[in-house]
Amino acid sequence: MPGFFNPETSVASLDSLQVSPSQGGPALTPAQKRFNTLLRQIERTRQTLTAWRDGIPAYRQAHAEVLEPLSNQLLDGDRHWAFALDEAFEQHKLTPTQRTTLRELLCEISGHLLEARGEDTELEALFNKHAEVDFQTEKRARLQEMKESAEWMTGLDLGDDDDLESPKDLFQRVKEGMQAQHAERDESAEAPTPRKKTAAQSRREAEAQQATQSVREVFRKLASALHPDRETDAEQRAAKTALMQRVNQAYDAKDLLALLELQLEIEQIDASHIAQASDQRVKHYNKVLAEQLDDLKSELEYVEADFCIEFGLRLVGTMDPKKLGQLVEQGRRVWLARLSEQQRDLRMLNDAAATKRWLNQQRHRRRWSSLGDGAF
């Protein structure tokens, strides 16, 4: 994924990089403690990303096999329900308030179906029969509201409305905008500032240069040890060529952790290397590791948001990729309950008195819901 740190490196040696206080020796310095903390945070974030990569295909398959058939049954039932409401509107003697409530409910369900399934001339005619404005006008207005809401939440400029045909088109535009936003952020972070630098800016730039130099020194040591052209044995040359490819990939990604892990792998350093490093060198390492952690967290946010967009889910807090199976089961139970509720409500419409009581309940619920929305 362009612009993002690639965590496709082994985490097996992270524990070996942890700094441990020597028995009877001095306590760990703040820089060494920070180094250990960054390693733990990077490992947890890597593991979470791996869980997402493993979990999303499984969820996608379960969604297609379990949830989509139920979703189609619900949509079929909702379509039948919409026309049953129209029959009740024509057959039962309802009060003006009850008729208004029924019209509103009928427009909501038929509008939802048209957005979910696309063109349906009979359903669109039903919507237009009961709505104050025709469906196409209502659709454009709702898309505009969704677009404005998405722009407000993301800070994106989502462009013109003319080529927006559905919420799916809007979600795709949001996804592309988020990708561009990440790329622009990465470019702006590297762009020099034209204004006069403050002392703090100059100090930070000097620290960044020193941190880059530390990464470069690790790279040079690895390159010197692994240069395949210096190896006469064909098998060893092939092994070093493969290792050098990993070194180059890690260096291009500014992946200090992967470079240190490679040093451990070829026994160029041992577990005491960081403990013996100067405090200044550890601080430089910490700066690079902190940047890598930020990149990992950015990718994690992107993966979560992309998952929610793909499956139409609301992202509330942090999702646990290890519990996606529970999400499927939860959705299955909810949708089965809705299917049962559909059948019950269809039977209710045959009873005029029960239908009137239900419409009165719906009117009160909608009124209280609107009061609650405007309370804050």
Side-chain angles (χ1 to χ4, degrees):
M1 189 178 303
F4 289 114
F5 166 65
N6 181 9
E8 295 292 339
T9 54
S10 168
V11 298
S13 58
L14 282 180
D15 288 341
S16 299
L17 287 171
Q18 293 275 337
V19 183
S20 300
S22 59
Q23 186 173 5
L28 296 182
T29 68
Q32 290 172 331
K33 292 179 180 178
R34 173 66 172 158
F35 182 87
N36 286 345
T37 298
L38 287 168
L39 290 188
R40 290 192 294 270
Q41 291 176 331
I42 286 173
E43 182 170 9
R44 285 197 298 268
T45 311
R46 281 177 169 183
Q47 291 173 348
T48 303
L49 275 170
T50 299
W52 273 111
R53 293 193 179 97
D54 294 341
I56 289 177
Y59 180 88
R60 189 178 288 119
Q61 180 178 353
H63 190 277
E65 295 175 355
V66 177
L67 298 184
E68 286 183 14
L70 288 174
S71 175
N72 289 329
Q73 289 182 49
L74 283 168
L75 291 174
D76 289 340
D78 284 345
R79 190 180 189 278
H80 186 49
W81 168 249
F83 286 100
L85 285 176
D86 184 57
E87 290 181 10
F89 183 87
E90 299 293 343
Q91 294 175 2
H92 298 325
K93 294 182 179 180
L94 305 174
T95 66
T97 299
Q98 290 168 344
R99 293 173 71 85
T100 298
T101 301
L102 193 150
R103 283 180 182 273
E104 291 174 352
L105 291 168
L106 203 152
C107 288
E108 286 178 4
I109 189 64
S110 57
H112 167 73
L113 286 167
L114 287 165
E115 289 179 355
R117 285 192 160 176
E119 185 176 353
D120 184 327
T121 54
E122 292 181 347
L123 200 59
E124 186 168 343
L126 183 64
F127 179 97
N128 294 340
K129 172 183 175 181
H130 293 279
E132 295 181 359
V133 296
D134 66 272
F135 174 72
Q136 295 302 325
T137 301
E138 177 72 13
K139 176 182 175 181
R140 286 192 294 271
R142 291 189 64 181
L143 269 176
Q144 175 62 26
E145 290 177 1
M146 292 175 64
K147 174 174 169 287
E148 291 175 356
S149 177
E151 287 178 330
W152 180 81
M153 289 188 295
T154 64
L156 296 171
D157 180 358
L158 297 176
D160 298 330
D161 307 331
D162 296 340
D163 55 344
L164 280 178
E165 297 292 334
S166 68
K168 185 177 179 180
D169 294 337
L170 177 61
F171 291 148
Q172 180 62 30
R173 192 176 292 185
V174 170
K175 179 178 177 180
E176 293 171 355
M178 289 174 62
Q179 291 174 327
Q181 192 178 62
H182 280 295
E184 289 174 5
R185 184 192 65 187
D186 292 340
E187 291 176 2
S188 63
E190 298 176 358
T193 175
R195 293 183 292 181
K196 185 177 179 180
K197 299 174 185 176
T198 65
Q201 287 174 328
S202 298
R203 184 177 64 255
R204 285 194 296 269
E205 286 188 5
E207 291 173 351
Q209 290 176 354
Q210 291 170 343
T212 301
Q213 180 64 27
S214 294
V215 176
R216 189 178 295 115
E217 288 176 6
V218 175
F219 167 76
R220 286 174 177 170
K221 290 178 181 178
L222 283 164
S224 177
L226 294 173
H227 203 296
D229 293 343
R230 300 173 185 172
E231 184 59 60
T232 57
D233 182 80
E235 186 175 346
Q236 287 295 317
R237 187 185 305 116
K240 287 188 174 182
T241 298
L243 283 169
M244 196 61 210
Q245 289 175 345
R246 290 168 57 192
V247 169
N248 287 328
Q249 290 171 356
Y251 182 65
D252 290 342
K254 299 179 181 179
D255 187 348
L256 171 65
L257 190 52
L259 293 173
L260 292 174
E261 288 170 337
L262 281 161
Q263 282 191 296
L264 279 171
E265 187 174 331
I266 67 170
E267 299 181 349
Q268 195 174 51
I269 62 173
D270 57 25
S272 64
H273 177 76
I274 304 299
Q276 296 172 355
S278 69
D279 212 45
Q280 193 65 28
R281 172 57 58 87
V282 177
K283 288 179 180 178
H284 296 164
Y285 285 172
N286 288 346
K287 180 174 178 60
V288 179
L289 293 176
E291 291 173 354
Q292 291 181 211
L293 180 61
D294 286 342
D295 287 342
L296 276 169
K297 289 180 176 179
S298 293
E299 183 174 1
L300 187 57
E301 290 175 2
Y302 176 86
V303 169
E304 290 178 351
D306 193 46
F307 172 79
C308 290
I309 289 173
E310 179 179 354
F311 296 103
L313 302 172
R314 292 182 61 189
L315 179 57
V316 180
T318 301
M319 300 183 69
D320 187 348
K322 296 179 182 179
K323 296 182 178 180
L324 297 184
Q326 296 179 19
L327 195 61
V328 173
E329 178 58 23
Q330 180 183 357
R332 187 186 72 85
R333 290 197 302 266
V334 169
W335 288 2
L336 285 174
R338 284 191 57 194
L339 284 169
S340 177
E341 185 180 347
Q342 278 183 347
Q343 297 303 313
R344 184 197 66 198
D345 289 344
L346 282 170
R347 292 191 296 269
M348 173 202 66
L349 291 179
N350 295 323
D351 185 329
T355 300
K356 291 178 181 181
R357 287 194 301 271
W358 177 78
L359 285 171
N360 290 336
Q361 292 171 354
Q362 293 299 312
R363 178 171 63 85
H364 287 300
R365 287 176 183 172
R366 294 164 69 83
R367 184 180 68 181
W368 284 109
S369 176
S370 63
L371 288 175
D373 290 341
F376 298 99

